[in-house]
Amino acid sequence: MTSYRVWAVPGLPEVQPGDDLAKLIAGAAPELTDGDVVLVTSKIVSKAEGRIVQAQDREAAIDAETVRVVARRGALRIVENKQGLVMAAAGVDASNTPAGTVLLLPEDADSSARVIRRGLRDTLGVEVGVVVTDTFGRPWRNGLTDVAIGAAGVRVLDDLRGGQDAYGNPLSATVVATADELAAAGDLVKGKAAGLPVAVVRGLPHVVTAHGEGEGEDQDGGARAMVRVAADDMFRLGTSEAVREAVTQRRTVREFTNDPVDPGAVRRAVAAAVTAPAPHHTAPWRFVLLESAGSRTRLLDAMRDAWIEDLRRDGKSEESVAKRVRRGEVLRRAPYLAVPCMVLDGSHTYGDPRRDAAEREMFTVATGAGVQNFLVALAGERLGSAWVSSTMFCRDVVREVLGLPAEWEPMGAVAIGRPAGAPAERAERDVEGFIAVR
């Protein structure tokens, strides 16, 4: 198929709550035929379904429809709404509706599309596809366009993976958003202020499913199939929200999968670590990355032996020694280890024990800030971590096994890997309990 035609449907009346949209569309477009795609602006669907609410304060209506704030800049909010759509203002619209009211999006736009499709089949005897559209802005692009928020009888995604391009190259990532392309085509002829809320695309019958194909909830996800799930969404949050999310989602992970860790991700986390504040314009951080199983085993075996010796020297029973060693095995269960170290290059010596102790504390705090940056950045890479203090108790052993300079002071070890399960919910803490105001 090399061509298609798209036109707006004139003659539709002002839609009122309770109106049968299929009958209104059939009356205005009796020429509909099999294989057409009917594009319906969500605003008239919302009106017909009574999604008009009294709201002197649009912001309160947005709050009520919001599940999650994705990004915020001034008064503008990009949010995930109850329908799972990520968009500005949760889709709450105060235009083309009486003063003091706002329009909410259809509760289930896929269901709305199915109702319209069945109605057109019953009224006109035609098999058409139906797409419910709304206006979206898009990441990385200026301007607005219509996209599909509901669909019935339409192949919303055209999965070309496994095929070949014109040069015989395999297609491995190409999934075309057909329903969005249809919605955008219709928007060219509907217009935002022309009072033409319905358009028809003719000449693309291959995008329309046959009667009974994908009609049921179980067979066809409708436009919902186009919403990227959280696990696959690389841009789930705005900048400031992503920083807060990474900080709050950082957890101590003690069980890891066997999946290999991307060394590049760890190096990006180190790059974040070395942006931490430090005294005297110094850089007190060093990170030893144990990327081979052999290096990890040699270090952990030597540390275990030193620890057992210390515990026995402390008079611990063999049972107590074995129990403590088992508790410390989190590092051995991780597929990747990093040993952060502190160096005191650039530190000042005052000859005053009090001031010298404070100087060392400043460097220790700076090292901790770097490690915190490191852990948060790992969380941003979807890597779990556990910061374990054990290397601080056997620094000589660590330096000897890893061949580190004498001035490098190991400050624990970080176990890194893909979490084996979802982290436990963190108990809420009353922030006021950590604040003193003077």
Side-chain angles (χ1 to χ4, degrees), residues 146-207:
D146 264 19
V147 303
I149 66 168
V154 173
R155 303 184 193 281
V156 296
L157 295 169
D158 188 7
D159 191 346
L160 302 180
R161 291 172 296 182
Q164 294 183 334
D165 64 15
Y167 294 93
N169 300 311
L171 299 173
S172 60
T174 305
V175 181
V176 177
T178 304
D180 281 351
E181 293 182 327
L182 292 166
D187 192 41
L188 290 173
V189 295
K190 287 188 295 180
K192 299 301 178 189
L196 298 170
V198 176
V200 178
V201 173
R202 178 169 293 168
L204 302 174
H206 62 283
V207 306

Side-chain angles (χ1 to χ4, degrees), residues 66-97:
T66 295
V67 172
R68 177 176 61 89
V69 175
V70 174
R72 184 191 303 266
R73 181 171 295 171
L76 176 63
R77 280 184 286 172
I78 307 297
V79 306
E80 179 183 345
N81 65 14
K82 292 178 179 179
Q83 292 81 9
L85 302 171
V86 174
M87 59 192 309
V92 175
D93 196 342
S95 62
N96 292 315
T97 185

Side-chain angles (χ1 to χ4, degrees), residues 110-177:
D110 284 330
S111 176
S112 303
R114 288 193 293 269
V115 169
I116 295 171
R117 187 189 194 206
R118 284 195 296 267
L120 290 172
R121 182 191 303 132
D122 293 343
T123 305
L124 298 177
V126 294
E127 201 62 61
V128 299
V130 174
V131 177
V132 177
T133 73
D134 197 63
T135 304
F136 273 48
R138 299 147 300 149
W140 314 295
R141 307 284 288 180
N142 287 321
L144 304 171
T145 187
D146 264 19
V147 303
I149 66 168
V154 173
R155 303 184 193 281
V156 296
L157 295 169
D158 188 7
D159 191 346
L160 302 180
R161 291 172 296 182
Q164 294 183 334
D165 64 15
Y167 294 93
N169 300 311
L171 299 173
S172 60
T174 305
V175 181
V176 177

Side-chain angles (χ1 to χ4, degrees), residues 184-235:
D187 192 41
L188 290 173
V189 295
K190 287 188 295 180
K192 299 301 178 189
L196 298 170
V198 176
V200 178
V201 173
R202 178 169 293 168
L204 302 174
H206 62 283
V207 306
V208 178
T209 61
H211 174 49
E213 182 184 355
E215 274 293 289
E217 199 82 45
D218 295 332
Q219 296 104 318
D220 183 6
R224 185 166 290 275
M226 305 178 74
V227 177
R228 197 182 299 275
V229 298
D232 296 335
D233 189 352
M234 295 176 65
F235 309 99

Side-chain angles (χ1 to χ4, degrees), residues 62 109 154 173 211 221 242 250 315 347 362 383-384:
I62 295 171
V154 173
H211 174 49
R250 188 212 62 76
S347 64
M362 285 197 304
L383 288 170

